[in-house]
Amino acid sequence: MGQNRRYDLVGRDIEGADRLRERTGSPIGLSIDEVRATGQRRDAREPIPVTARLQFQVALVEPREVDAVVIAWTDTAVLVRWCTPNGHEHHAWIYAGAVRRR
């Protein structure tokens, strides 16, 4: 039987995505239950510039500081938005103590 080369292309794309994720990591925010436990959500009229300390899962969990904006909050958590250097936009709920105004 002949080879179906489409599968090789898909495999390479998946491997490339895995390698990229290993280098850049995946952000880890609060779970839905953790956010609910922080109180009622309030949205910012305008995004508030902050430096946010986020956890990233690389091979291990790695904390990083990123320039972000707060777009909503509860009593003890904030929803932050930030962009990676390649322009991808991310959002995560984190505890309010993990941000400081810029």
Side-chain angles (χ1 to χ4, degrees):
M1 295 195 129
Q3 285 183 321
N4 189 337
R5 295 185 185 267
R6 286 183 300 153
Y7 292 115
D8 289 338
L9 294 174
V10 170
R12 280 189 221 129
D13 291 342
I14 291 171
E15 289 172 9
D18 284 344
R19 282 193 300 278
L20 178 63
R21 190 172 28 262
E22 287 171 0
R23 286 192 309 269
T24 59
S26 300
I28 301 170
L30 300 176
S31 70
I32 297 297
D33 290 334
E34 289 173 319
V35 173
R36 284 187 184 128
T38 64
Q40 183 179 355
R41 175 181 169 156
R42 293 173 292 283
D43 291 326
R45 288 187 186 135
E46 295 291 326
I48 302 165
V50 297
T51 299
R53 188 152 181 87
L54 292 151
Q55 301 288 326
F56 283 82
Q57 176 123 22
V58 185
L60 306 169
V61 174
E62 175 182 284
R64 298 181 192 167
E65 285 191 350
V66 299
D67 289 335
V69 293
V70 169
I71 56 174
W73 62 89
T74 66
D75 292 338
T76 57
V78 293
L79 177 58
V80 294
R81 179 180 66 212
W82 74 100
C83 289
T84 58
N86 59 3
H88 290 97
E89 187 174 283
H90 296 277
H91 297 82
W93 280 97
I94 58 176
Y95 286 113
V99 300
R100 69 177 184 278
R101 283 186 185 248
R102 285 188 270 135

